[in-house]
Amino acid sequence: MDGMSAVKYAELGTFLRSRRERIRPAEVGLPAGPRRRVPGLRREEVAQLAGASVDYYNELERGAGSQPSEQMIAALARALRLSGDERDYLYRLADRPVPVQGGPASHVHPGMLDLLGRMTSTPAQVITDLHVTLVQNPLAVALLGDQSGYRGPRASFVHRWFTEPEARRLYPEADHEGKSRSFVADLRAAAARRDKKDAEVGSMIRTLLAVSPEFAALWADHEVAFRREDRKRLVHPVIGVIEVNCLNLSSEDGRQRLLWFTPAVGTDSAGLLDLLTVVGTQEVAEPTG
């Protein structure tokens, strides 16, 4: 059991089952369907929502199988709509360290997760204030690429923007200078809002100052501005350039943002966004890492 005790593993299965049985299908965007024999969600529905195989999830509830990864725990916490305390408890049952707030395994704000689940006809995702993508709906994956494969500092799109040239393929080259300035001003605002001793943002800034002359020059300008409503052009490898409005809603502490993308008025973007449902995720604008 990879270091996990039999008692903890049994409790893990019991806890997952209890959380599954309390959720109504409509709460996670699933149809109720006829003749449900069990309360709450079915095992296969939880597996689907978490991106796990049905066999693997069944083993978890039975208190068997291999120790779940930190990424799987985060996915299960989102699928089961766990509170922050419940999510931390799940990590401890699995003998995994509780992740720091703001990282790629951060607990998504429940209200934002609920809103995201209702946004079925527009690209939407939840990110942190350091531009770490926490969860995407299928249309956001089709538009922006799957962001779930990044780990460590690379989980932040801002980090990749200044360290990995291929990250910039998401925007037309003519827009790169303005985007760089906007990212740095937003990062300075986020850093000011966080605790001065915050290790994550401090490490990120020190790294970018050391490896990116462009970032260092912009950081020295001391511009500060949170990104709110934004009109932008995005480059899709199949559809081409799509001009959109990027709207966002921030959590009370400012650590998370729900972003959604709508067609820019006066453009043909509405039809192009409709094509995303056809194109799907066969190609993405940025490698998944």
Side-chain angles (χ1 to χ4, degrees), residues 5-272:
S5 69
V7 173
K8 269 193 172 182
Y9 224 136
E11 177 60 24
L12 174 69
T14 302
F15 183 66
L16 289 174
R17 184 167 59 254
S18 71
R19 301 304 88 183
R20 172 174 61 81
E21 292 176 349
R22 72 175 181 175
I23 298 177
R24 292 176 296 179
E27 293 175 349
V28 293
L30 295 174
R35 295 189 303 175
R36 280 185 172 265
R37 298 178 180 178
V38 296
L41 299 180
R42 301 185 178 100
R43 291 186 181 90
E44 57 267 28
E45 290 170 335
V46 176
Q48 177 186 356
L49 291 169
S53 71
V54 176
D55 288 342
Y56 178 73
Y57 181 75
N58 284 340
E59 286 194 345
L60 284 181
E61 280 207 6
R62 289 199 300 265
S66 60
Q67 182 183 22
S69 68
E70 295 174 42
Q71 291 73 34
M72 178 53 62
I73 299 169
L76 288 170
R78 293 165 190 163
L80 294 170
R81 298 298 195 266
L82 300 187
S83 68
D85 290 337
E86 289 171 333
R87 189 283 309 255
D88 293 352
Y89 180 64
L90 186 61
Y91 270 90
R92 294 187 177 100
L93 286 177
D95 275 345
R96 296 292 189 183
V98 176
V100 296
Q101 188 176 11
S106 288
H107 186 59
V108 181
H109 189 285
M112 290 189 171
L113 196 58
D114 180 63
L115 284 173
L116 182 71
R118 298 172 188 272
M119 292 181 171
T120 58
S121 61
T122 188
Q125 61 184 16
V126 179
I127 69 171
T128 73
D129 56 341
L130 301 186
H131 294 261
V132 174
T133 301
L134 301 178
V135 62
Q136 299 173 282
N137 71 6
L139 285 177
V141 174
L143 177 64
L144 306 169
D146 185 356
Q147 307 293 303
S148 63
Y150 296 102
R151 300 290 178 264
R154 296 185 67 238
S156 166
F157 184 73
V158 173
H159 176 94
R160 299 197 304 277
W161 179 265
F162 288 104
T163 61
E164 302 177 20
E166 62 269 21
R168 301 196 175 199
R169 290 186 296 175
L170 186 60
Y171 294 97
E173 187 174 355
D175 298 349
H176 289 180
E177 181 178 351
K179 290 301 174 186
S180 293
R181 187 171 297 278
S182 175
F183 280 137
V184 173
D186 185 74
L187 178 60
R188 184 178 286 278
R193 173 173 279 176
R194 290 194 177 205
D195 189 283
K196 292 181 179 180
K197 298 179 180 179
D198 187 284
E200 184 186 20
V201 69
S203 175
M204 180 177 176
I205 292 170
R206 288 191 298 272
T207 297
L208 293 178
L209 286 172
V211 303
S212 172
E214 179 190 18
F215 178 87
L218 291 172
W219 190 257
D221 288 342
H222 291 272
E223 291 186 9
V224 54
F226 277 116
R227 296 179 68 187
R228 294 182 174 87
E229 185 174 338
D230 189 14
R231 182 159 171 162
K232 60 179 66 180
R233 296 188 298 165
L234 299 170
V235 180
H236 190 279
V238 177
I239 297 174
V241 176
I242 307 175
E243 192 163 355
V244 297
N245 296 313
C246 178
L247 309 171
N248 73 76
L249 174 69
S250 295
S251 60
E252 291 182 1
D253 62 1
R255 292 286 188 110
Q256 294 184 13
R257 306 170 188 177
L258 172 64
L259 307 181
W260 68 98
F261 303 86
T262 61
V265 176
T267 71
D268 60 353
S269 296
L272 295 178

